[in-house]
Amino acid sequence: MSKPRHFVLAAGGTGGHMVPAAALAAELIRRGHYVALVSDERGVRFPDLFEGIQTHILPAGRLGGGPLGYYRAAREMWRGRAMAIELYKTFRPAAVIGFGGYPALPALLAAFNQKIPTAIHEQNAVLGRVNRLVAGKVDAIATSYAKVERLKESLNDKTHLVGNPVRDSVIAIRAKPYPLLEEDGIFRVLVTGGSQGASVLSKVVPEGLAMLPVAFRRRLQVTHQARVEDIEACRAKYKELDIAADLATYLPDLPEHLAWSHLVIARAGASTLSELTCAGRPAILVPLPSATDDHQTVNAREMTLAGGARTIDQRAFTPVELAKQMQRLGLDPAALQNAAVRARGCGRPDAARDLADLVESLGETNGDLPIGVPLPAQFREKAAFA
């Protein structure tokens, strides 16, 4: 076991950034290290993800909005950088790891200033904006895909394919067999738009399922995560169509639902895909068309080309098209089982371990703590900069 050290994880406020950061935090803590999270107001609100981990909220403006917007963003970034420098003087991190999103930038800029080893993790198949800004200066780049667009070839020597870390509860699904699907048995469908939800799924999925043959439709058991503003209308639609469905705006027990699902209808966010492939669950994917650099479409390619998913462009995502794809998969148990195997083949269940190995290697000679000496009390509790 290596000596206990301090690590700072910096992540933007969406689930795509926060979930892998939480998985790495759990792995580092298992190894005896101390972890602090730097994020924004959104990031610290995810239930249970960083329970018991000290959390710091730093200001971080978003680039855009013309000259005045850029000025305000730069001012906020600089203020966040100064606050992070003060944190590092006390916390003394062995390394700072960024997971993308604007809230990660001040923490990384402060690390560059203090000459602290740094790494970034890219969850998507297209290098994100913040990661592009700092890729040339960090010590290591960890990727989730073998090929990442907008990542310069000149950076290949410090690029490491590790995958996208997922929660232990998702990894546990991998050891379980794909749920038995009998011709007249219950067909379980999980519908999820990721941490932000997806209105298009709430509009199209009930209508599409209603077009299935009556015998198939009666077998359906749907769990549907919907946006707050969509959930009541969506619930009423399922009831009108006489389709058995449970709806929620947030699924804290998502891994449990994923474990028993036969098919998942989802966006193509990085965390969703890493969980689908780790668990080995076939999917119908509808990439978010407004995603930066259309990264969700690029994310979906690997799983789709492998035969583990079918991707439908949102412009073509109609009830008729969904019903057609559902019948092709749902009425052929052998094809569905094969898709599950192919999805599983794309998974990288050791991502948290491999990323932790990389992070530890960066901090081998920096920030060591005497074994057995606890942190001061203020660093064992949640904290936040005002």
Side-chain angles (χ1 to χ4, degrees):
M1 182 176 176
S2 59
K3 290 182 180 180
R5 296 190 291 278
H6 292 169
F7 292 97
V8 168
L9 310 187
T14 66
H17 300 306
M18 303 305 293
V19 170
L24 175 62
E27 178 64 23
L28 291 172
I29 290 170
R30 271 196 294 266
R31 298 184 183 198
H33 301 301
Y34 299 96
V35 176
L37 170 71
V38 169
S39 189
D40 60 6
E41 293 283 357
R42 297 173 304 158
V44 301
R45 290 175 181 166
F46 281 84
D48 303 325
L49 271 187
F50 290 90
E51 193 67 33
I53 294 176
Q54 65 158 296
T55 302
H56 299 272
I57 299 171
L58 298 186
R62 294 180 61 87
L63 300 177
L68 183 58
Y70 277 95
Y71 168 75
R72 289 172 176 168
R75 184 180 61 189
E76 288 297 286
M77 291 283 182
W78 205 251
R79 190 162 70 94
R81 171 184 174 274
M83 293 164 67
I85 288 173
E86 290 303 309
L87 168 65
Y88 299 164
K89 288 178 181 177
T90 306
F91 191 66
R92 294 172 52 217
V96 176
I97 303 91
F99 284 83
Y102 287 106
L105 188 52
L108 289 166
L109 294 176
F112 299 153
N113 175 268
Q114 297 294 297
K115 296 181 171 49
I116 298 169
T118 53
I120 53 174
H121 179 269
E122 178 55 59
Q123 300 88 52
N124 294 297
V126 181
L127 198 65
R129 289 179 179 175
V130 169
N131 282 347
R132 288 203 296 270
L133 284 172
V134 300
K137 294 198 67 174
V138 297
D139 298 291
I141 301 168
T143 66
S144 302
Y145 292 87
K147 181 180 179 181
V148 177
E149 294 186 4
R150 307 199 70 165
L151 176 60
K152 295 178 180 178
E153 290 187 11
S154 60
L155 302 177
N156 285 349
D157 288 346
K158 62 178 179 181
T159 299
H160 309 263
L161 173 62
V162 300
N164 193 20
V166 299
R167 293 167 284 184
D168 291 342
S169 53
V170 175
I171 295 175
I173 302 172
R174 194 174 178 85
K176 301 176 182 179
Y178 179 73
L180 180 65
L181 180 61
E182 300 177 354
E183 289 187 5
D184 58 350
I186 295 175
F187 189 95
R188 297 184 180 91
V189 180
L190 173 62
V191 183
T192 174
S195 63
Q196 305 299 310
S199 292
V200 68
L201 299 184
S202 295
K203 293 175 182 176
V204 173
V205 172
E207 295 282 2
L209 298 184
M211 292 181 175
L212 295 171
V214 175
F216 186 12
R217 190 168 71 241
R218 287 176 177 169
R219 295 167 51 203
L220 294 175
Q221 175 61 59
V222 180
T223 296
H224 190 131
Q225 178 231 342
R227 296 174 68 96
V228 173
E229 60 268 31
D230 299 328
I231 190 167
E232 291 307 324
C234 189
R235 181 180 283 117
K237 196 65 180 178
Y238 278 120
K239 185 176 181 180
E240 175 191 331
L241 298 170
D242 197 26
I243 296 173
D246 294 319
L247 286 88
T249 56
Y250 178 71
L251 296 172
D253 53 350
L254 180 64
E256 181 181 338
H257 293 290
L258 186 61
W260 57 242
S261 64
H262 294 105
L263 179 69
V264 179
I265 303 173
R267 286 297 197 194
S271 288
T272 296
L273 286 177
S274 57
E275 291 179 347
L276 287 172
T277 56
C278 188
R281 292 298 181 268
I284 293 174
L285 302 174
V286 186
L288 175 66
S290 61
T292 305
D293 300 316
D294 197 22
H295 67 255
Q296 287 203 5
T297 298
V298 185
N299 288 349
R301 285 178 186 166
E302 180 181 66
M303 188 177 176
T304 302
L305 289 173
R310 295 171 185 260
T311 297
I312 306 175
D313 185 283
Q314 183 164 308
R315 292 168 295 185
F317 185 60
T318 63
V320 172
E321 181 62 23
L322 175 61
K324 182 170 64 176
Q325 297 296 340
M326 284 283 296
Q327 287 189 76
R328 287 177 178 173
L329 287 169
L331 297 179
D332 187 350
L336 203 60
Q337 178 81 39
N338 182 56
V341 171
R342 291 174 179 271
R344 190 178 188 276
C346 296
R348 296 183 174 88
D350 297 325
R353 181 202 67 188
D354 294 343
L355 182 56
D357 287 347
L358 176 63
V359 166
E360 281 189 326
S361 72
L362 294 176
E364 282 180 347
T365 59
N366 192 49
D368 284 344
L369 293 170
I371 293 177
V373 177
L375 283 175
Q378 67 266 30
F379 290 123
R380 294 198 297 273
E381 302 171 354
K382 280 198 170 185
F385 284 111

